[in-house]
Amino acid sequence: MQAATMRLNQNTLLLGKKVVLVPYTSEHVPSRYHEWMKSEELQRLTASEPLTLEQEYAMQRSWREDADKCTFIVLDAEKWQTQSGATEESCMVGDVNLFLTDLEDPTVGEIEVMIAEPSCRGKGLGTEAVLAMLSYGVTTLGLTKFEAKIGQGNEPSIRMFQKLHFEQVATSSVFQEVTLRLTVSESEHQWLLEQTSHVEEKPYRDGSAEPC
């Protein structure tokens, strides 16, 4: 896989039962994303520092343009499909990211997910977003190994990844995080395809995808 293919998702929308994944555009920054990242809880859970609006726009461009990153904004599918005139910004609940961490092995991707809206947690949105991203990573980006680094105190996220067949392989007391890993064997690939058989890939028009 060439690293540049990590940018393939810029015209891709993934439609699931609970979530819709759309590319992260500049339109998503001021209305919701920047507000989310002012939360001390989210900063702690994502090991992030507070950014100015200008820095957040720069970060968005990085996720959009860098060859080693792939990110989707997570939308609430029910809200996006059933509310007349609903915008992507009004349906945003979080994001899911993949990035290449091993220059020697382009088949390894680190995955992160954030469900930023408290009312949307514990409902399976993060699980479906991660499954869709894993499937996209395997089938489109050519990844076969995934890692997730999660704060030791974030037990719901650790349990979610373990349910998705990730195994804990390391603990860092310095960074207070655990590393979980999934190697996609033939049987794991088949399981992943079964779990995401309902997810539809559709063309995305920058910032103007209409609900179905």
Side-chain angles (χ1 to χ4, degrees), residues 41 44-45 113 121-122 126-127 150-164 180:
E41 179 197 19
R44 177 174 54 80
L45 290 174
V113 65
R121 295 174 190 162
T127 297
I150 305 168
Q152 288 176 320
N154 192 353
E155 293 183 6
S157 189
I158 293 172
R159 285 197 301 270
M160 181 193 73
F161 276 98
Q162 288 174 333
K163 287 180 180 177
L164 300 181
L180 299 99

Side-chain angles (χ1 to χ4, degrees), residues 28-29 64 75 86 106 152 167 176 200:
H28 297 128
V29 175
R64 179 79 166 186
L75 309 182
Q152 288 176 320
E167 296 182 356
Q176 294 190 315
E200 297 179 64

Side-chain angles (χ1 to χ4, degrees), residues 8 61 102 110 168:
L8 277 176
R61 285 193 296 274
D102 189 340
E110 184 173 331
Q168 186 170 323

Side-chain angles (χ1 to χ4, degrees), residues 2-210:
Q2 298 298 313
T5 61
M6 292 293 274
R7 287 178 285 189
L8 277 176
N9 78 315
Q10 62 186 347
N11 297 312
T12 300
L13 177 151
L14 300 178
L15 176 63
K17 292 177 181 176
K18 296 183 178 182
V19 300
V20 181
L21 304 187
V22 298
Y24 184 21
T25 75
S26 59
E27 293 179 18
H28 297 128
V29 175
S31 54
R32 299 295 287 278
Y33 206 91
H34 185 58
E35 293 303 312
W36 284 341
M37 299 317 297
K38 291 178 181 178
S39 162
E40 291 184 4
E41 179 197 19
L42 287 177
Q43 290 171 21
R44 177 174 54 80
L45 290 174
T46 60
S48 303
E49 296 292 329
L51 300 177
T52 65
L53 184 58
E54 289 72 20
Q55 290 171 324
E56 203 74 72
Y57 273 117
M59 186 72 74
Q60 181 272 326
R61 285 193 296 274
S62 167
W63 279 106
R64 179 79 166 186
E65 298 169 8
D66 287 5
D68 60 351
K69 300 184 177 85
C70 178
T71 191
F72 285 100
I73 290 293
V74 181
L75 309 182
D76 180 330
E78 181 180 8
K79 189 174 181 182
W80 187 73
Q81 290 183 295
T82 61
Q83 291 190 7
S84 177
T87 63
E88 289 179 13
E89 290 71 29
S90 68
C91 300
M92 287 169 62
V93 298
D95 68 355
V96 61
N97 311 307
L98 271 174
F99 49 100
L100 300 179
T101 56
D102 189 340
L103 295 177
E104 302 296 318
D105 188 353
T107 67
V108 179
E110 184 173 331
I111 188 165
E112 297 177 335
V113 65
M114 174 182 72
I115 300 300
E117 291 292 331
S119 63
C120 295
R121 295 174 190 162
K123 297 181 177 180
L125 278 71
T127 297
E128 188 179 56
V130 169
L131 282 168
M133 189 59 132
L134 291 174
S135 180
Y136 186 78
V138 172
T139 58
T140 303
L141 304 178
L143 303 179
T144 58
K145 295 179 283 290
F146 297 92
E147 286 190 346
K149 295 181 179 180
I150 305 168
Q152 288 176 320
N154 192 353
E155 293 183 6
S157 189
I158 293 172
R159 285 197 301 270
M160 181 193 73
F161 276 98
Q162 288 174 333
K163 287 180 180 177
L164 300 181
H165 301 182
F166 279 70
E167 296 182 356
Q168 186 170 323
V169 294
T171 302
S172 170
S173 56
V174 175
F175 296 105
Q176 294 190 315
E177 66 183 15
V178 298
T179 299
L180 299 99
R181 187 171 295 154
L182 171 67
T183 299
V184 183
S185 61
E186 188 59 42
S187 60
E188 287 288 357
H189 189 197
Q190 189 60 40
W191 176 81
L192 195 55
L193 291 175
E194 291 170 1
Q195 298 300 309
T196 57
S197 61
H198 64 282
V199 177
E200 297 179 64
E201 184 171 327
K202 295 174 174 286
Y204 177 82
R205 296 174 303 283
D206 193 354
S208 61
E210 294 296 327

